[in-house]
Amino acid sequence: MNRKERQEPLELKYFRFLEGRMHLSPEEKRQYTNAQKGFEGEITFDRWIEQNLSTDHLLIKGLLLEHKGELFQIDTLLIFSWQIYLFNVKNHAGDYYINGEKWHFMSGAEIKSPLLQLQRSDFLLRQLLRKLGTTTPIEPSLVFIHPEFILYNAPPQFPIIFSSQLNRFKKKLNSKPSKIERKHEILVERLVSLHLDHSPHTRWPDYDYQTLKKGVICVTCGTFMSEKERKWICSSCGNQESNEAAIMRNVEAFTFLFPNAKITTNTIYEWCGVKGSASKVKRVLSKNFRRFSHGKGSYYG
Ligand SMILES: [Zn+2]
């Protein structure tokens, strides 16, 4: 049973809403791609769990926890009555090697050791679970979900599951009887209630309203769309979107990027780069929000 939906990381949301509206440096583009790949890997593993496990279990998708002032992240927590699995999921592809404690690309450049990260999460989770009174054993694992990932020199005792080992891992998990009881449910409720929405370490590009490009961006290809009566049309890929869907999608971006700004017909008209009559914006806002009058103007909320 799934006990918490996976949320899109905040970092990824910023990039998704800013992409196309501003210039991203190569470093920022790399950060964006890495965040996207990481999230896709986590979702792939969620799907794998949902499609392959046949015994009683509880699943928590993504936890950001704090213990004694230290923040730590758990990509996936899988609870059986006989074991708790802590998974950190990696979506690296290509050839890597290990040299002692250090992890490298084949080219030689060093990467941050995923193992150290896992050990830290494991250490803090154990302390937290002990505090919560859980005695179920915990096993930490790195899951390399991408089928084209190779890690040379990896010692067999490392807590790693490669994608080519998932099938055997499934058999192992399904071969042991598991019965979820109320105490496991309580543990999961406690952990989910301790989950923090976002890390103070999240980084995203600096932006300001004036310099961001205004308009409606195609979800399929990232090109700015043009309006045509009650539709928005992408000249690059042919994608069409109803006026309401396009405006609402852009209101979501606007309120995310500018949480303190008021939603008014004028601001959304400008943000979406509408050329024609403002009534098409007003119609969508009045349909989807409550209207508040405020002196001469009015806003939606
Ligand atoms: Zn398009």
PDB file of all heavy atoms in Angstrom, residues 264-288:
ATOM      1  N   THR A 264      -4.683  39.063 -10.746  1.00  0.00           N
ATOM      2  CA  THR A 264      -5.685  39.965 -11.306  1.00  0.00           C
ATOM      3  C   THR A 264      -5.760  39.700 -12.802  1.00  0.00           C
ATOM      4  O   THR A 264      -4.862  39.085 -13.381  1.00  0.00           O
ATOM      5  CB  THR A 264      -5.318  41.456 -11.096  1.00  0.00           C
ATOM      6  OG1 THR A 264      -4.172  41.745 -11.920  1.00  0.00           O
ATOM      7  CG2 THR A 264      -4.983  41.778  -9.648  1.00  0.00           C
ATOM      8  N   THR A 265      -6.828  40.198 -13.421  1.00  0.00           N
ATOM      9  CA  THR A 265      -6.959  40.020 -14.872  1.00  0.00           C
ATOM     10  C   THR A 265      -5.747  40.621 -15.578  1.00  0.00           C
ATOM     11  O   THR A 265      -5.173  40.012 -16.476  1.00  0.00           O
ATOM     12  CB  THR A 265      -8.255  40.690 -15.369  1.00  0.00           C
ATOM     13  OG1 THR A 265      -9.332  40.126 -14.622  1.00  0.00           O
ATOM     14  CG2 THR A 265      -8.480  40.434 -16.839  1.00  0.00           C
ATOM     15  N   ASN A 266      -5.323  41.807 -15.135  1.00  0.00           N
ATOM     16  CA  ASN A 266      -4.196  42.473 -15.790  1.00  0.00           C
ATOM     17  C   ASN A 266      -2.889  41.707 -15.663  1.00  0.00           C
ATOM     18  O   ASN A 266      -2.146  41.587 -16.638  1.00  0.00           O
ATOM     19  CB  ASN A 266      -3.994  43.881 -15.215  1.00  0.00           C
ATOM     20  CG  ASN A 266      -5.004  44.844 -15.818  1.00  0.00           C
ATOM     21  OD1 ASN A 266      -5.610  44.527 -16.853  1.00  0.00           O
ATOM     22  ND2 ASN A 266      -5.200  45.974 -15.174  1.00  0.00           N
ATOM     23  N   THR A 267      -2.603  41.220 -14.438  1.00  0.00           N
ATOM     24  CA  THR A 267      -1.317  40.527 -14.277  1.00  0.00           C
ATOM     25  C   THR A 267      -1.289  39.254 -15.123  1.00  0.00           C
ATOM     26  O   THR A 267      -0.282  38.967 -15.777  1.00  0.00           O
ATOM     27  CB  THR A 267      -1.013  40.150 -12.807  1.00  0.00           C
ATOM     28  OG1 THR A 267      -2.146  39.476 -12.263  1.00  0.00           O
ATOM     29  CG2 THR A 267      -0.675  41.331 -11.959  1.00  0.00           C
ATOM     30  N   ILE A 268      -2.373  38.513 -15.123  1.00  0.00           N
ATOM     31  CA  ILE A 268      -2.376  37.250 -15.883  1.00  0.00           C
ATOM     32  C   ILE A 268      -2.393  37.532 -17.393  1.00  0.00           C
ATOM     33  O   ILE A 268      -1.754  36.824 -18.182  1.00  0.00           O
ATOM     34  CB  ILE A 268      -3.545  36.347 -15.442  1.00  0.00           C
ATOM     35  CG1 ILE A 268      -3.394  35.975 -13.955  1.00  0.00           C
ATOM     36  CG2 ILE A 268      -3.628  35.079 -16.286  1.00  0.00           C
ATOM     37  CD1 ILE A 268      -2.054  35.344 -13.561  1.00  0.00           C
ATOM     38  N   TYR A 269      -3.087  38.610 -17.764  1.00  0.00           N
ATOM     39  CA  TYR A 269      -3.096  39.028 -19.173  1.00  0.00           C
ATOM     40  C   TYR A 269      -1.655  39.280 -19.644  1.00  0.00           C
ATOM     41  O   TYR A 269      -1.223  38.810 -20.684  1.00  0.00           O
ATOM     42  CB  TYR A 269      -3.932  40.313 -19.291  1.00  0.00           C
ATOM     43  CG  TYR A 269      -4.047  40.863 -20.695  1.00  0.00           C
ATOM     44  CD1 TYR A 269      -5.018  40.375 -21.570  1.00  0.00           C
ATOM     45  CD2 TYR A 269      -3.204  41.890 -21.139  1.00  0.00           C
ATOM     46  CE1 TYR A 269      -5.136  40.886 -22.857  1.00  0.00           C
ATOM     47  CE2 TYR A 269      -3.313  42.404 -22.418  1.00  0.00           C
ATOM     48  CZ  TYR A 269      -4.284  41.895 -23.280  1.00  0.00           C
ATOM     49  OH  TYR A 269      -4.398  42.397 -24.549  1.00  0.00           O
ATOM     50  N   GLU A 270      -0.918  39.994 -18.813  1.00  0.00           N
ATOM     51  CA  GLU A 270       0.464  40.310 -19.173  1.00  0.00           C
ATOM     52  C   GLU A 270       1.358  39.067 -19.114  1.00  0.00           C
ATOM     53  O   GLU A 270       2.156  38.807 -20.014  1.00  0.00           O
ATOM     54  CB  GLU A 270       1.012  41.389 -18.233  1.00  0.00           C
ATOM     55  CG  GLU A 270       2.393  41.866 -18.652  1.00  0.00           C
ATOM     56  CD  GLU A 270       2.933  42.969 -17.744  1.00  0.00           C
ATOM     57  OE1 GLU A 270       3.573  42.637 -16.727  1.00  0.00           O
ATOM     58  OE2 GLU A 270       2.703  44.149 -18.064  1.00  0.00           O
ATOM     59  N   TRP A 271       1.197  38.284 -18.043  1.00  0.00           N
ATOM     60  CA  TRP A 271       2.028  37.078 -17.838  1.00  0.00           C
ATOM     61  C   TRP A 271       1.863  36.090 -18.998  1.00  0.00           C
ATOM     62  O   TRP A 271       2.820  35.462 -19.437  1.00  0.00           O
ATOM     63  CB  TRP A 271       1.634  36.434 -16.505  1.00  0.00           C
ATOM     64  CG  TRP A 271       2.337  35.154 -16.187  1.00  0.00           C
ATOM     65  CD1 TRP A 271       1.775  33.916 -16.076  1.00  0.00           C
ATOM     66  CD2 TRP A 271       3.737  34.965 -15.908  1.00  0.00           C
ATOM     67  NE1 TRP A 271       2.722  32.980 -15.752  1.00  0.00           N
ATOM     68  CE2 TRP A 271       3.942  33.586 -15.646  1.00  0.00           C
ATOM     69  CE3 TRP A 271       4.843  35.819 -15.858  1.00  0.00           C
ATOM     70  CZ2 TRP A 271       5.193  33.050 -15.347  1.00  0.00           C
ATOM     71  CZ3 TRP A 271       6.094  35.280 -15.552  1.00  0.00           C
ATOM     72  CH2 TRP A 271       6.258  33.920 -15.307  1.00  0.00           C
ATOM     73  N   CYS A 272       0.645  35.952 -19.480  1.00  0.00           N
ATOM     74  CA  CYS A 272       0.392  34.998 -20.573  1.00  0.00           C
ATOM     75  C   CYS A 272       0.661  35.620 -21.943  1.00  0.00           C
ATOM     76  O   CYS A 272       0.533  34.940 -22.967  1.00  0.00           O
ATOM     77  CB  CYS A 272      -1.046  34.483 -20.526  1.00  0.00           C
ATOM     78  SG  CYS A 272      -1.386  33.495 -19.076  1.00  0.00           S
ATOM     79  N   GLY A 273       0.994  36.897 -21.978  1.00  0.00           N
ATOM     80  CA  GLY A 273       1.280  37.546 -23.251  1.00  0.00           C
ATOM     81  C   GLY A 273       0.083  37.555 -24.193  1.00  0.00           C
ATOM     82  O   GLY A 273       0.236  37.399 -25.400  1.00  0.00           O
ATOM     83  N   VAL A 274      -1.115  37.717 -23.615  1.00  0.00           N
ATOM     84  CA  VAL A 274      -2.322  37.734 -24.449  1.00  0.00           C
ATOM     85  C   VAL A 274      -2.317  39.000 -25.293  1.00  0.00           C
ATOM     86  O   VAL A 274      -1.983  40.090 -24.805  1.00  0.00           O
ATOM     87  CB  VAL A 274      -3.592  37.671 -23.560  1.00  0.00           C
ATOM     88  CG1 VAL A 274      -4.856  37.734 -24.415  1.00  0.00           C
ATOM     89  CG2 VAL A 274      -3.588  36.399 -22.722  1.00  0.00           C
ATOM     90  N   LYS A 275      -2.628  38.862 -26.572  1.00  0.00           N
ATOM     91  CA  LYS A 275      -2.624  40.031 -27.452  1.00  0.00           C
ATOM     92  C   LYS A 275      -4.030  40.600 -27.625  1.00  0.00           C
ATOM     93  O   LYS A 275      -4.225  41.795 -27.743  1.00  0.00           O
ATOM     94  CB  LYS A 275      -2.088  39.649 -28.843  1.00  0.00           C
ATOM     95  CG  LYS A 275      -0.684  39.075 -28.825  1.00  0.00           C
ATOM     96  CD  LYS A 275       0.339  40.196 -28.842  1.00  0.00           C
ATOM     97  CE  LYS A 275       1.776  39.717 -29.017  1.00  0.00           C
ATOM     98  NZ  LYS A 275       2.160  38.497 -28.345  1.00  0.00           N
ATOM     99  N   GLY A 276      -5.011  39.716 -27.645  1.00  0.00           N
ATOM    100  CA  GLY A 276      -6.388  40.154 -27.912  1.00  0.00           C
ATOM    101  C   GLY A 276      -7.070  40.728 -26.682  1.00  0.00           C
ATOM    102  O   GLY A 276      -6.427  41.339 -25.833  1.00  0.00           O
ATOM    103  N   SER A 277      -8.343  40.469 -26.606  1.00  0.00           N
ATOM    104  CA  SER A 277      -9.147  41.044 -25.527  1.00  0.00           C
ATOM    105  C   SER A 277      -8.851  40.372 -24.192  1.00  0.00           C
ATOM    106  O   SER A 277      -8.587  39.155 -24.133  1.00  0.00           O
ATOM    107  CB  SER A 277     -10.625  40.855 -25.887  1.00  0.00           C
ATOM    108  OG  SER A 277     -11.382  40.777 -24.713  1.00  0.00           O
ATOM    109  N   ALA A 278      -8.894  41.173 -23.119  1.00  0.00           N
ATOM    110  CA  ALA A 278      -8.617  40.637 -21.784  1.00  0.00           C
ATOM    111  C   ALA A 278      -9.778  39.795 -21.273  1.00  0.00           C
ATOM    112  O   ALA A 278      -9.653  39.116 -20.255  1.00  0.00           O
ATOM    113  CB  ALA A 278      -8.340  41.786 -20.821  1.00  0.00           C
ATOM    114  N   SER A 279     -10.896  39.829 -21.975  1.00  0.00           N
ATOM    115  CA  SER A 279     -12.070  39.116 -21.451  1.00  0.00           C
ATOM    116  C   SER A 279     -11.826  37.600 -21.441  1.00  0.00           C
ATOM    117  O   SER A 279     -12.385  36.891 -20.621  1.00  0.00           O
ATOM    118  CB  SER A 279     -13.315  39.454 -22.279  1.00  0.00           C
ATOM    119  OG  SER A 279     -13.127  39.001 -23.590  1.00  0.00           O
ATOM    120  N   LYS A 280     -10.961  37.122 -22.311  1.00  0.00           N
ATOM    121  CA  LYS A 280     -10.698  35.675 -22.305  1.00  0.00           C
ATOM    122  C   LYS A 280      -9.941  35.252 -21.044  1.00  0.00           C
ATOM    123  O   LYS A 280     -10.063  34.121 -20.592  1.00  0.00           O
ATOM    124  CB  LYS A 280      -9.962  35.235 -23.585  1.00  0.00           C
ATOM    125  CG  LYS A 280      -8.539  35.727 -23.700  1.00  0.00           C
ATOM    126  CD  LYS A 280      -7.992  35.647 -25.112  1.00  0.00           C
ATOM    127  CE  LYS A 280      -7.990  34.240 -25.676  1.00  0.00           C
ATOM    128  NZ  LYS A 280      -7.480  34.249 -27.077  1.00  0.00           N
ATOM    129  N   VAL A 281      -9.189  36.190 -20.477  1.00  0.00           N
ATOM    130  CA  VAL A 281      -8.497  35.909 -19.215  1.00  0.00           C
ATOM    131  C   VAL A 281      -9.510  36.019 -18.074  1.00  0.00           C
ATOM    132  O   VAL A 281      -9.589  35.156 -17.197  1.00  0.00           O
ATOM    133  CB  VAL A 281      -7.350  36.916 -18.998  1.00  0.00           C
ATOM    134  CG1 VAL A 281      -6.729  36.751 -17.614  1.00  0.00           C
ATOM    135  CG2 VAL A 281      -6.289  36.749 -20.083  1.00  0.00           C
ATOM    136  N   LYS A 282     -10.292  37.077 -18.128  1.00  0.00           N
ATOM    137  CA  LYS A 282     -11.263  37.345 -17.069  1.00  0.00           C
ATOM    138  C   LYS A 282     -12.256  36.187 -16.926  1.00  0.00           C
ATOM    139  O   LYS A 282     -12.582  35.767 -15.811  1.00  0.00           O
ATOM    140  CB  LYS A 282     -12.021  38.639 -17.408  1.00  0.00           C
ATOM    141  CG  LYS A 282     -12.766  39.201 -16.232  1.00  0.00           C
ATOM    142  CD  LYS A 282     -13.292  40.581 -16.516  1.00  0.00           C
ATOM    143  CE  LYS A 282     -14.006  41.069 -15.269  1.00  0.00           C
ATOM    144  NZ  LYS A 282     -14.508  42.408 -15.438  1.00  0.00           N
ATOM    145  N   ARG A 283     -12.705  35.678 -18.068  1.00  0.00           N
ATOM    146  CA  ARG A 283     -13.657  34.572 -18.065  1.00  0.00           C
ATOM    147  C   ARG A 283     -13.083  33.357 -17.328  1.00  0.00           C
ATOM    148  O   ARG A 283     -13.737  32.754 -16.482  1.00  0.00           O
ATOM    149  CB  ARG A 283     -13.965  34.188 -19.516  1.00  0.00           C
ATOM    150  CG  ARG A 283     -15.399  33.782 -19.734  1.00  0.00           C
ATOM    151  CD  ARG A 283     -15.783  33.723 -21.209  1.00  0.00           C
ATOM    152  NE  ARG A 283     -14.716  33.391 -22.123  1.00  0.00           N
ATOM    153  CZ  ARG A 283     -14.414  34.126 -23.204  1.00  0.00           C
ATOM    154  NH1 ARG A 283     -15.073  35.239 -23.477  1.00  0.00           N
ATOM    155  NH2 ARG A 283     -13.429  33.755 -24.003  1.00  0.00           N
ATOM    156  N   VAL A 284     -11.835  33.027 -17.623  1.00  0.00           N
ATOM    157  CA  VAL A 284     -11.211  31.848 -17.000  1.00  0.00           C
ATOM    158  C   VAL A 284     -11.020  32.072 -15.502  1.00  0.00           C
ATOM    159  O   VAL A 284     -11.306  31.196 -14.684  1.00  0.00           O
ATOM    160  CB  VAL A 284      -9.850  31.540 -17.675  1.00  0.00           C
ATOM    161  CG1 VAL A 284      -9.112  30.438 -16.931  1.00  0.00           C
ATOM    162  CG2 VAL A 284     -10.052  31.162 -19.131  1.00  0.00           C
ATOM    163  N   LEU A 285     -10.580  33.276 -15.136  1.00  0.00           N
ATOM    164  CA  LEU A 285     -10.341  33.549 -13.716  1.00  0.00           C
ATOM    165  C   LEU A 285     -11.647  33.520 -12.922  1.00  0.00           C
ATOM    166  O   LEU A 285     -11.712  32.932 -11.839  1.00  0.00           O
ATOM    167  CB  LEU A 285      -9.631  34.903 -13.536  1.00  0.00           C
ATOM    168  CG  LEU A 285      -8.207  35.002 -14.108  1.00  0.00           C
ATOM    169  CD1 LEU A 285      -7.628  36.386 -13.858  1.00  0.00           C
ATOM    170  CD2 LEU A 285      -7.288  33.937 -13.506  1.00  0.00           C
ATOM    171  N   SER A 286     -12.700  34.129 -13.478  1.00  0.00           N
ATOM    172  CA  SER A 286     -13.970  34.152 -12.725  1.00  0.00           C
ATOM    173  C   SER A 286     -14.544  32.748 -12.598  1.00  0.00           C
ATOM    174  O   SER A 286     -15.206  32.436 -11.612  1.00  0.00           O
ATOM    175  CB  SER A 286     -15.051  35.025 -13.369  1.00  0.00           C
ATOM    176  OG  SER A 286     -14.524  35.875 -14.297  1.00  0.00           O
ATOM    177  N   LYS A 287     -14.263  31.917 -13.596  1.00  0.00           N
ATOM    178  CA  LYS A 287     -14.791  30.555 -13.529  1.00  0.00           C
ATOM    179  C   LYS A 287     -14.060  29.715 -12.484  1.00  0.00           C
ATOM    180  O   LYS A 287     -14.644  28.857 -11.835  1.00  0.00           O
ATOM    181  CB  LYS A 287     -14.657  29.904 -14.908  1.00  0.00           C
ATOM    182  CG  LYS A 287     -15.345  28.560 -15.005  1.00  0.00           C
ATOM    183  CD  LYS A 287     -15.271  28.020 -16.407  1.00  0.00           C
ATOM    184  CE  LYS A 287     -15.535  26.514 -16.373  1.00  0.00           C
ATOM    185  NZ  LYS A 287     -15.161  25.867 -17.614  1.00  0.00           N
ATOM    186  N   ASN A 288     -12.746  29.966 -12.316  1.00  0.00           N
ATOM    187  CA  ASN A 288     -11.945  29.086 -11.475  1.00  0.00           C
ATOM    188  C   ASN A 288     -11.593  29.632 -10.088  1.00  0.00           C
ATOM    189  O   ASN A 288     -11.058  28.902  -9.263  1.00  0.00           O
ATOM    190  CB  ASN A 288     -10.644  28.720 -12.200  1.00  0.00           C
ATOM    191  CG  ASN A 288     -10.891  27.811 -13.371  1.00  0.00           C
ATOM    192  OD1 ASN A 288     -11.035  26.608 -13.198  1.00  0.00           O
ATOM    193  ND2 ASN A 288     -10.996  28.377 -14.567  1.00  0.00           N
TER     194      ASN A 288
END
